[in-house]
Amino acid sequence: YVEALKKHSLFNDNLVKIGDFSQESGYSLTLELLSFSPPPTVILACNNLLGLGAMDALREKGIQIPQEMGIVIFDDLPWFRYLNPPLTVVAQPTFKMGEVAVKLLLERMRGRRKKPKQIVLKTKLILRESAGEALRRVPI
């Protein structure tokens, strides 16, 4: 994510906020982002709860999604496509992640693997309406 933003000269370290992955954290961090002048055009929430908190803050402040600010959530839930607006997401293969994690854990427990192993699984950007036009203009 950071590499892609830097590649297109869009990265701003001040706009990266770290919370505790809760809905409350997404809400308060979004209020912080809204205090910037100018505020960001799109928010990427790193999990579902942060995203819901961000949406709460935007709606409370009367900011329309996606007309005034886009939102993208990392991870997909089946009902995200039915929200108004449907949520743009970075879908990850959660079932496969669990499968790989169990396999690696069993290998370590059985003594077949002593060193940690890093496995990267592919994600997929699913563009729906919540991203707004700002994200659609970024060359991916």
Side-chain angles (χ1 to χ4, degrees):
Y1 166 73
V2 171
E3 288 175 22
L5 289 175
K6 286 181 178 179
K7 179 180 175 182
H8 298 286
S9 301
L10 297 171
F11 183 73
N12 180 342
D13 192 39
N14 295 322
L15 296 177
V16 176
K17 300 293 178 188
I18 298 173
D20 64 7
F21 296 96
S22 68
Q23 190 167 345
E24 295 78 17
S25 184
Y27 175 86
S28 61
L29 293 172
T30 299
L31 292 180
E32 283 183 39
L33 289 171
L34 293 176
S35 71
F36 285 32
S37 183
T41 55
V42 178
I43 291 176
L44 170 64
C46 292
N47 77 2
N48 300 323
L49 292 174
L50 284 169
L52 293 175
M55 291 169 57
D56 285 344
L58 294 174
R59 288 196 175 118
E60 179 181 284
K61 295 296 182 183
I63 297 170
Q64 295 182 348
I65 304 167
Q67 295 85 348
E68 297 175 85
M69 184 172 295
I71 188 159
V72 178
I73 296 179
F74 199 93
D75 205 6
D76 194 13
L77 293 175
W79 48 272
F80 278 0
R81 73 183 75 159
Y82 302 112
L83 294 178
N84 186 18
L87 292 177
T88 294
V89 298
V90 178
Q92 55 186 343
T94 50
F95 184 83
K96 184 70 175 171
M97 290 167 62
E99 193 175 70
V100 169
V102 168
K103 180 182 173 189
L104 291 173
L105 178 61
L106 289 173
E107 285 178 6
R108 294 228 25 211
M109 289 172 62
R110 293 177 180 149
R112 294 184 194 148
R113 176 175 304 284
K114 294 191 184 211
K115 295 181 180 179
K117 181 178 181 181
Q118 181 177 8
I119 297 176
V120 178
L121 301 174
K122 290 189 181 226
T123 57
K124 180 180 179 184
L125 177 63
I126 301 174
L127 284 171
R128 297 185 185 126
E129 292 175 34
S130 73
E133 290 303 312
L135 187 62
R136 295 182 193 284
R137 290 190 301 265
V138 175
I140 297 174

